[in-house]
Amino acid sequence: MEGRYCCKEVVPFTAMVAIECTIVGVNVLFKAASEKGLSYYVFIVYSFAISTLALLLLLPFVFRRSRGLPRFKVSLIFRIFLLGIIGFASQLCGYKGLKYTSPTLSSAFSNLIPAFTFILAVFFRMEKVALRSRSTQAKILGTTLSISGALIIVLYKGDTILSASYQQQSPVADSQLGSSSQSNWVLGGSLLAITYLLTPIWYITQASIMKQYPAEVIVVFLYNLCGSIISAPVCILLEANSSAWKINPDITLITIIYAGVLCTGLSSLVHTWGLHLKGPLYVSIFKPLSIVIAATLSIIFLGEALYQGTVIGAVILSFGFYAVIWGKAKEEELSVGFGEDRAQTPSITKTPLLQSYNEKDNKEIMYNNC
């Protein structure tokens, strides 16, 4: 009993917290490496390639233990390739946005995922809007708060609350830098918003793939392989400077290896496993944790300032995040109750967005991973 509880609750919780720390660590390292001259085009290609090689080493062990997996179909290969395109586009916008802003802002914007998921669900008619329902009201309120918080972060910096260092500049230079910094901040925030709009689409595609082919390592390997194939020619064209592709044995090399093994590879693998084992709702709950981690690491290691607008916006975003999560949890709770009361009645309700597993799949994956 204790072993099953550990496998079902403790291991996923520990894995999700560790992955959030890992993602924030990659963002902080990339920010530091980009200031040393690391091109984010180079970073994306190399991180995809290293992740693909790392996962390739695991495949022989996976194939030995895998039995009864379904055959590959053309539709499955197309979906995995589409997953690679979405992942590449998301990283392209995300790391460019991070270059203009900060890891704290990136972590705060990750709370937009549930709000964007709800908007996509309504847009594609995958979710009905019942205005009298408390769950729907909570999701609408949460979406509004999330978007409002994001706008506050992007458009309003405010006073500096915390900073590791202060530099004295002339009023003219300070005014010019402030104008340029604000412009970059808005552009970077917009790119981060696009990134976290693409993330729910990535989850949707990933969930449909896992239902058809429930083998996390193989799917993530093929995703990274497609990401490498897609990103290499595009980034080589965009980064024409040949010297940028030479990596020095310093923080740039550490960042690329760390990102390739732990972020692009391991985080994708853990998120895929978490989606299949516990569902997208559980995976999303840990996102606000990254704000505190990112703010702390950015101040300590990057010497970046923490602005009033970032704190206010992040708090509003977090309230909106949990409002959407609460509404979704309430809706699923009512759905389960309805299913128990009408066990003999065929279901005519639509499948909720990102509903990537059922009870049988959940038990099978849980026992296999134990």
Side-chain angles (χ1 to χ4, degrees), residues 113 199-208 271 275 283 287 354:
I113 292 174
T199 301
I201 301 174
W202 192 92
Y203 282 156
I204 293 169
T205 309
Q206 182 73 299
S208 66
H271 278 149
L275 281 169
V283 173
K287 288 299 178 184
L354 298 180

Side-chain angles (χ1 to χ4, degrees), residues 101-156:
T101 56
S102 70
T104 307
L105 184 69
S106 178
S107 298
F109 264 65
S110 67
N111 292 334
L112 283 169
I113 292 174
F116 283 154
T117 301
F118 175 64
I119 292 172
L120 287 170
V122 174
F123 181 78
F124 288 109
R125 297 181 181 180
M126 301 175 77
E127 188 161 336
K128 292 182 179 180
V129 178
L131 296 178
R132 294 184 179 182
S133 168
R134 291 181 64 187
S135 61
T136 300
Q137 290 172 0
K139 286 188 285 186
I140 292 174
L141 175 63
T143 300
T144 305
L145 286 174
S146 297
I147 295 174
S148 301
L151 289 174
I152 289 172
I153 293 174
V154 172
L155 301 177
Y156 173 67

Side-chain angles (χ1 to χ4, degrees), residues 104 141 189 240 297 307 311 341:
T104 307
L141 175 63
L297 294 180
Y307 298 104
V311 174
D341 293 339

Side-chain angles (χ1 to χ4, degrees), residues 34-45:
S34 65
E35 292 175 355
K36 295 285 186 180
L38 176 63
S39 167
Y40 84 113
Y41 297 117
V42 174
F43 172 76
I44 290 172
V45 173

Side-chain angles (χ1 to χ4, degrees), residues 193-272:
I194 294 172
T195 296
Y196 292 113
L197 177 60
L198 290 172
T199 301
I201 301 174
W202 192 92
Y203 282 156
I204 293 169
T205 309
Q206 182 73 299
S208 66
I209 291 171
M210 290 307 301
K211 287 184 71 175
Q212 187 175 350
Y213 199 86
E216 290 88 347
V217 176
I218 297 173
V219 170
V220 174
F221 164 74
L222 292 174
Y223 156 69
N224 279 281
L225 179 62
C226 290
S228 300
I229 294 170
I230 296 164
S231 63
V234 175
C235 290
I236 288 172
L237 288 174
L238 293 174
E239 184 54 78
N241 184 11
S242 58
S243 61
W245 294 90
K246 298 177 182 178
I247 304 300
N248 298 319
D250 52 17
I251 191 172
T252 55
L253 180 61
I254 295 172
T255 302
I256 289 171
I257 294 174
Y258 182 93
V261 175
L262 296 180
C263 188
T264 309
L266 184 63
S267 69
S268 298
L269 189 60
V270 172
H271 278 149
T272 302

Side-chain angles (χ1 to χ4, degrees), residues 13-61:
F13 178 85
T14 305
M16 291 302 157
V17 173
I19 285 302
E20 289 303 320
C21 294
T22 300
I23 293 172
V24 172
V26 169
N27 289 342
V28 172
L29 280 172
F30 171 77
K31 182 70 175 179
S34 65
E35 292 175 355
K36 295 285 186 180
L38 176 63
S39 167
Y40 84 113
Y41 297 117
V42 174
F43 172 76
I44 290 172
V45 173
Y46 284 163
S47 61
F48 266 125
I50 289 174
S51 178
T52 303
L53 291 174
L55 290 168
L56 181 62
L57 298 175
L58 294 176
L59 285 184
F61 303 98

